[in-house]
Amino acid sequence: MLTEAAPLRFAVLGDSFSEGVGDRAAGAWRGWAALLADGLAGPGRRVEYVNLAVSGALSADVAAHQAPRAVALRPHLASVVVGVNDTLRHGFDIGQYARRLDRILGALDAAGAVLLTACLPDPGRMLGLPAPLARPLARRRRSVNAVVHALSARRGAVHLHLADPAWTDDRRLWSADRLHPGERGHRAVAGAFHRLLAERGLARGPAPSPEASEPPPTRAETARWLATAGTGWVLRRSRDLLPQLLLLAGEELLHRGDGTGLGPLDARAETALAAALAATMGE
């Protein structure tokens, strides 16, 4: 039972978004979760904050490695934001994703944690990909978000709609790679979660400041990042994702060329999503 003097335990699970990529402070990634942790506890209470998120993590990684560690901590709050990397892999399967996320959220819920979740922006749109490449990613993102919405509602999670245009259209919130928030974006996420938690009486400290504490990267620093770490990121993802994306794009072009349109592809994605929801929600 949580008392005023007891520490509030906050566990963070997920990928680079929750690791804090895009928000560097004191030579290390900080991110929205650390900013939020600073505003959770009121007077006389401290926060025990453990960030288990790892860049590049898939839902399988979170289920196998991060979730057991988090459950052992018996957290009062636990954030789970994962799925972008799943959609960027050739073996994407919405049914597997739904089952894994259900297990992760179920285990943390059973351990007594209040859950924090978020849906995902469309990576194809964020990156400005051509339509034949962007549409398959958009289908996957819609499926992932539908699962996240359904399971979040089932568990009573504190949920943030990061796919809304208010987030995705404001480029000031995003870093040079267009996939990770910059400092202002991480602060905006932390502030939004703080408001939702405060409404439930779960955040009693000061809200995170929306103002950046670090100077924005210069054009030279951005160019250097894109030429080094950014290029490496693209190459690593391309080896796995690009061949599959090209196949998916080719499939789209074939359907458009033979007159069947995109209906069959959309219907296939909807059927797979319906089966995934039925299997996890008992519908």
Side-chain angles (χ1 to χ4, degrees):
M1 181 176 179
L2 185 62
T3 65
E4 285 298 313
L8 189 155
R9 295 184 294 277
F10 178 28
V12 178
L13 296 77
D15 52 31
S16 56
F17 171 79
S18 295
E19 186 185 24
V21 172
D23 176 30
R24 187 172 291 278
W29 297 127
R30 177 179 50 187
W32 68 268
L35 293 165
L36 174 61
D38 289 340
L40 289 176
R45 182 182 299 171
R46 62 187 176 88
V47 174
E48 292 182 352
Y49 164 68
V50 179
N51 194 329
L52 303 171
V54 177
S55 182
L58 305 167
S59 59
D61 301 316
V62 175
H65 306 297
Q66 297 179 27
R69 293 175 62 190
V71 168
L73 297 172
R74 305 293 295 183
H76 301 102
L77 298 176
S79 67
V80 181
V81 184
V82 66
V84 166
N85 291 309
D86 290 74
T87 67
L88 297 174
R89 294 298 189 273
H90 72 277
F92 174 75
D93 184 315
I94 190 60
Q96 289 184 349
Y97 173 82
R99 289 190 292 274
R100 289 169 185 150
L101 186 62
D102 189 39
R103 289 199 303 272
I104 294 165
L105 297 180
L108 290 165
D109 186 28
V114 174
L115 300 168
L116 281 67
T117 62
C119 55
L120 311 170
D122 181 356
R125 184 166 177 263
M126 296 297 292
L127 291 169
L129 295 178
L133 296 175
R135 276 193 296 262
L137 286 180
R139 284 193 196 94
R140 293 180 174 191
R141 188 268 305 173
R142 287 194 297 270
S143 294
V144 165
N145 284 350
V147 168
V148 172
H149 289 153
L151 294 180
S152 296
R154 179 184 184 184
R155 302 288 178 183
V158 176
H159 180 72
L160 195 57
H161 293 274
L162 290 179
D164 289 353
W167 292 96
T168 59
D169 291 351
D170 190 347
R171 292 299 184 185
R172 296 172 301 174
L173 300 180
W174 298 89
S175 63
D177 65 9
R178 296 190 177 188
L179 280 177
H180 299 99
E183 182 185 354
R184 287 187 179 277
H186 279 284
R187 287 185 173 278
V189 171
F193 268 129
H194 189 277
R195 286 191 295 275
L196 294 173
L197 288 167
E199 290 171 0
R200 297 195 185 189
L202 298 172
R204 300 181 182 179
S209 171
E211 299 302 323
S213 61
E214 302 291 326
T218 65
R219 288 185 179 181
E221 289 170 337
T222 298
R224 186 162 56 249
W225 185 91
L226 290 171
T228 55
T231 300
W233 186 93
V234 171
L235 290 175
R236 288 193 298 274
R237 294 299 184 270
S238 294
R239 284 195 294 269
D240 183 83
L241 173 67
L242 189 56
Q244 177 70 4
L245 262 187
L246 292 175
L247 286 173
L248 292 172
E251 188 176 27
E252 289 228 346
L253 293 172
L254 284 173
H255 275 272
R256 291 177 70 89
D258 65 12
T260 58
L262 303 179
L265 299 178
D266 293 334
R268 186 171 66 191
E270 289 297 326
T271 298
L273 172 61
L277 291 173
T280 53
M281 301 291 288
E283 298 176 354

